[in-house]
Amino acid sequence: MSEKKTPPFAVSGINHLALVCSNMEKTVEFYEDVLGFPLIKTVELPGGAGQHFFFDIGGGNHLAFFWFPDAPAPAPGIAAAAGMPGGGDLTSAVGSMNHVAFTIPLDKFDEYREKLIAAGVNTGVILNHDDSESTVAQEMHPGVFVRSLYFQDPDGILLEFACYTRELTDDDVKHAPANQTAGA
């Protein structure tokens, strides 16, 4: 599409993504006990305004949560996806956080799915993403570029375990960006 340029900023990744939860205790239990992400920092916000906790998700990446005592109720289908790919509406509003995808090893994909199910986590169907018209294949084949399993945390935040099945190349950039304002 476009030639590679030297980036104007030396960004090496995402420091953290901050989400909002309804119950910090349940959030800690899920992310630390079920997913195994160590809790590495806790902050009490001044004046009883809430809490801000950070989890290490590996590779120098962190996932953070705010808990606000007066946070508005969740708004699935507006501020977040209402369902899971392959089993519900994935659409969410412009400016929303749709889902968080965690990279996992390809050879652990099935094992990790079973661990989530054994822990009682609401999981979706396995999606083998390819370049077909439907963008998903029933079975693995050489054109599958990523395997995905979507699931939800206790607040319904959409999460994904994803693993690339091959290296992406310049040939994987084939589509022109849409030139239309969403919601117009």
Side-chain angles (χ1 to χ4, degrees), residues 85-86 90 126-138 141 143-148 150 175:
L90 185 60
I126 293 172
L127 297 177
N128 299 306
H129 300 279
D130 67 3
D131 289 327
S132 66
E133 188 174 329
S134 70
T135 72
V136 179
Q138 292 293 324
H141 64 82
V144 171
F145 60 92
V146 68
R147 294 195 87 195
S148 294
Y150 293 86
H175 306 91

Short mmCIF file of all heavy atoms in Angstrom, two decimals, residues 85-86 90 126-138 141 143-148 150 175:
data_model
loop_
_atom_site.label_atom_id
_atom_site.label_comp_id
_atom_site.label_asym_id
_atom_site.label_seq_id
_atom_site.Cartn_x
_atom_site.Cartn_y
_atom_site.Cartn_z
N PRO A 85 -17.65 -12.93 18.17
CA PRO A 85 -17.62 -13.32 16.76
C PRO A 85 -18.04 -14.78 16.61
O PRO A 85 -17.67 -15.63 17.41
CB PRO A 85 -16.14 -13.14 16.37
CG PRO A 85 -15.64 -12.11 17.33
CD PRO A 85 -16.39 -12.37 18.62
N GLY A 86 -18.85 -15.04 15.63
CA GLY A 86 -19.35 -16.39 15.40
C GLY A 86 -20.56 -16.72 16.25
O GLY A 86 -21.11 -17.80 16.14
N LEU A 90 -20.71 -8.19 16.88
CA LEU A 90 -19.40 -7.70 17.27
C LEU A 90 -19.31 -6.17 17.18
O LEU A 90 -18.37 -5.57 17.68
CB LEU A 90 -18.33 -8.33 16.36
CG LEU A 90 -16.87 -8.03 16.67
CD1 LEU A 90 -16.50 -8.50 18.07
CD2 LEU A 90 -15.97 -8.67 15.64
N ILE A 126 -14.22 -21.54 17.93
CA ILE A 126 -12.87 -21.33 17.41
C ILE A 126 -13.01 -20.76 16.00
O ILE A 126 -13.79 -21.27 15.19
CB ILE A 126 -12.08 -22.65 17.36
CG1 ILE A 126 -11.82 -23.16 18.78
CG2 ILE A 126 -10.78 -22.48 16.58
CD1 ILE A 126 -11.22 -24.55 18.83
N LEU A 127 -12.26 -19.70 15.73
CA LEU A 127 -12.29 -19.08 14.41
C LEU A 127 -10.92 -19.19 13.76
O LEU A 127 -9.92 -18.75 14.35
CB LEU A 127 -12.71 -17.61 14.51
CG LEU A 127 -14.12 -17.36 15.05
CD1 LEU A 127 -14.41 -15.88 15.16
CD2 LEU A 127 -15.16 -18.03 14.15
N ASN A 128 -10.88 -19.79 12.58
CA ASN A 128 -9.67 -19.89 11.77
C ASN A 128 -9.77 -18.82 10.70
O ASN A 128 -10.44 -19.01 9.67
CB ASN A 128 -9.57 -21.28 11.14
CG ASN A 128 -9.50 -22.37 12.18
OD1 ASN A 128 -8.66 -22.34 13.06
ND2 ASN A 128 -10.40 -23.33 12.08
N HIS A 129 -9.13 -17.66 10.92
CA HIS A 129 -9.26 -16.51 10.02
C HIS A 129 -8.43 -16.74 8.76
O HIS A 129 -7.26 -17.06 8.84
CB HIS A 129 -8.80 -15.24 10.72
CG HIS A 129 -9.59 -14.92 11.95
ND1 HIS A 129 -10.82 -14.30 11.92
CD2 HIS A 129 -9.33 -15.15 13.26
CE1 HIS A 129 -11.28 -14.14 13.15
NE2 HIS A 129 -10.39 -14.66 13.98
N ASP A 130 -9.09 -16.52 7.61
CA ASP A 130 -8.40 -16.65 6.33
C ASP A 130 -8.88 -15.54 5.40
O ASP A 130 -9.61 -14.64 5.83
CB ASP A 130 -8.62 -18.05 5.73
CG ASP A 130 -10.06 -18.34 5.31
OD1 ASP A 130 -10.94 -17.45 5.43
OD2 ASP A 130 -10.32 -19.47 4.88
N ASP A 131 -8.48 -15.60 4.13
CA ASP A 131 -8.85 -14.56 3.17
C ASP A 131 -10.06 -14.93 2.33
O ASP A 131 -10.31 -14.32 1.29
CB ASP A 131 -7.66 -14.24 2.25
CG ASP A 131 -6.55 -13.51 2.99
OD1 ASP A 131 -6.88 -12.72 3.90
OD2 ASP A 131 -5.37 -13.72 2.66
N SER A 132 -10.84 -15.91 2.75
CA SER A 132 -12.05 -16.28 2.02
C SER A 132 -13.10 -15.18 2.17
O SER A 132 -12.95 -14.25 2.98
CB SER A 132 -12.61 -17.60 2.56
OG SER A 132 -13.07 -17.43 3.89
N GLU A 133 -14.17 -15.28 1.42
CA GLU A 133 -15.23 -14.28 1.47
C GLU A 133 -15.83 -14.16 2.87
O GLU A 133 -16.14 -13.07 3.35
CB GLU A 133 -16.34 -14.62 0.46
CG GLU A 133 -17.36 -13.53 0.32
CD GLU A 133 -18.37 -13.80 -0.78
OE1 GLU A 133 -18.01 -14.45 -1.79
OE2 GLU A 133 -19.52 -13.34 -0.64
N SER A 134 -15.96 -15.28 3.57
CA SER A 134 -16.51 -15.26 4.93
C SER A 134 -15.46 -14.85 5.97
O SER A 134 -15.80 -14.57 7.11
CB SER A 134 -17.08 -16.62 5.30
OG SER A 134 -16.04 -17.56 5.46
N THR A 135 -14.21 -14.84 5.60
CA THR A 135 -13.03 -14.54 6.43
C THR A 135 -12.73 -15.61 7.48
O THR A 135 -11.82 -15.44 8.28
CB THR A 135 -13.08 -13.15 7.11
OG1 THR A 135 -14.05 -13.17 8.17
CG2 THR A 135 -13.39 -12.04 6.12
N VAL A 136 -13.49 -16.71 7.47
CA VAL A 136 -13.31 -17.77 8.47
C VAL A 136 -13.44 -19.13 7.78
O VAL A 136 -14.34 -19.35 6.99
CB VAL A 136 -14.36 -17.66 9.59
CG1 VAL A 136 -14.19 -18.78 10.60
CG2 VAL A 136 -14.28 -16.31 10.28
N ALA A 137 -12.52 -20.03 8.13
CA ALA A 137 -12.55 -21.40 7.60
C ALA A 137 -12.97 -22.36 8.70
O ALA A 137 -12.63 -22.18 9.87
CB ALA A 137 -11.17 -21.79 7.08
N GLN A 138 -13.70 -23.40 8.32
CA GLN A 138 -14.10 -24.43 9.27
C GLN A 138 -12.90 -25.23 9.75
O GLN A 138 -12.81 -25.61 10.92
CB GLN A 138 -15.13 -25.38 8.64
CG GLN A 138 -16.46 -24.75 8.36
CD GLN A 138 -17.21 -24.38 9.63
OE1 GLN A 138 -17.13 -25.09 10.62
NE2 GLN A 138 -17.89 -23.25 9.61
N HIS A 141 -6.08 -24.69 7.16
CA HIS A 141 -5.50 -24.88 5.83
C HIS A 141 -4.38 -23.85 5.69
O HIS A 141 -4.27 -22.94 6.53
CB HIS A 141 -6.56 -24.77 4.73
CG HIS A 141 -7.21 -23.43 4.61
ND1 HIS A 141 -6.65 -22.37 3.94
CD2 HIS A 141 -8.38 -22.97 5.12
CE1 HIS A 141 -7.44 -21.32 4.02
NE2 HIS A 141 -8.50 -21.65 4.74
N GLY A 143 -3.98 -21.22 4.10
CA GLY A 143 -4.39 -19.82 4.01
C GLY A 143 -4.83 -19.20 5.33
O GLY A 143 -5.04 -17.99 5.42
N VAL A 144 -4.99 -20.02 6.37
CA VAL A 144 -5.36 -19.48 7.68
C VAL A 144 -4.15 -18.72 8.22
O VAL A 144 -3.05 -19.25 8.26
CB VAL A 144 -5.78 -20.61 8.65
CG1 VAL A 144 -5.95 -20.07 10.07
CG2 VAL A 144 -7.06 -21.28 8.17
N PHE A 145 -4.38 -17.46 8.63
CA PHE A 145 -3.26 -16.67 9.14
C PHE A 145 -3.31 -16.47 10.65
O PHE A 145 -2.28 -16.17 11.26
CB PHE A 145 -3.16 -15.31 8.43
CG PHE A 145 -4.37 -14.43 8.57
CD1 PHE A 145 -4.46 -13.51 9.60
CD2 PHE A 145 -5.40 -14.52 7.65
CE1 PHE A 145 -5.58 -12.70 9.73
CE2 PHE A 145 -6.52 -13.71 7.77
CZ PHE A 145 -6.60 -12.79 8.81
N VAL A 146 -4.47 -16.66 11.27
CA VAL A 146 -4.56 -16.54 12.72
C VAL A 146 -5.72 -17.39 13.23
O VAL A 146 -6.76 -17.48 12.56
CB VAL A 146 -4.70 -15.07 13.19
CG1 VAL A 146 -6.02 -14.46 12.79
CG2 VAL A 146 -4.48 -14.91 14.69
N ARG A 147 -5.52 -18.06 14.37
CA ARG A 147 -6.59 -18.79 15.05
C ARG A 147 -7.01 -17.95 16.24
O ARG A 147 -6.18 -17.38 16.94
CB ARG A 147 -6.12 -20.15 15.57
CG ARG A 147 -5.76 -21.12 14.46
CD ARG A 147 -5.64 -22.51 14.99
NE ARG A 147 -6.98 -23.10 14.96
CZ ARG A 147 -7.34 -24.20 15.61
NH1 ARG A 147 -6.46 -24.83 16.36
NH2 ARG A 147 -8.56 -24.68 15.53
N SER A 148 -8.31 -17.89 16.48
CA SER A 148 -8.84 -17.07 17.56
C SER A 148 -9.85 -17.82 18.40
O SER A 148 -10.64 -18.61 17.87
CB SER A 148 -9.55 -15.83 16.99
OG SER A 148 -8.65 -14.98 16.35
N TYR A 150 -12.52 -16.41 21.34
CA TYR A 150 -13.03 -15.26 22.09
C TYR A 150 -13.69 -15.74 23.37
O TYR A 150 -14.28 -16.82 23.42
CB TYR A 150 -14.03 -14.48 21.24
CG TYR A 150 -13.39 -13.82 20.05
CD1 TYR A 150 -13.22 -14.50 18.86
CD2 TYR A 150 -12.94 -12.51 20.13
CE1 TYR A 150 -12.62 -13.90 17.76
CE2 TYR A 150 -12.34 -11.90 19.04
CZ TYR A 150 -12.19 -12.59 17.86
OH TYR A 150 -11.59 -12.00 16.78
N HIS A 175 -6.35 -4.42 0.82
CA HIS A 175 -7.59 -3.66 0.75
C HIS A 175 -7.36 -2.18 0.99
O HIS A 175 -6.61 -1.80 1.89
CB HIS A 175 -8.59 -4.19 1.79
CG HIS A 175 -8.81 -5.66 1.65
ND1 HIS A 175 -8.07 -6.60 2.33
CD2 HIS A 175 -9.69 -6.35 0.90
CE1 HIS A 175 -8.48 -7.81 2.01
NE2 HIS A 175 -9.46 -7.70 1.13
#
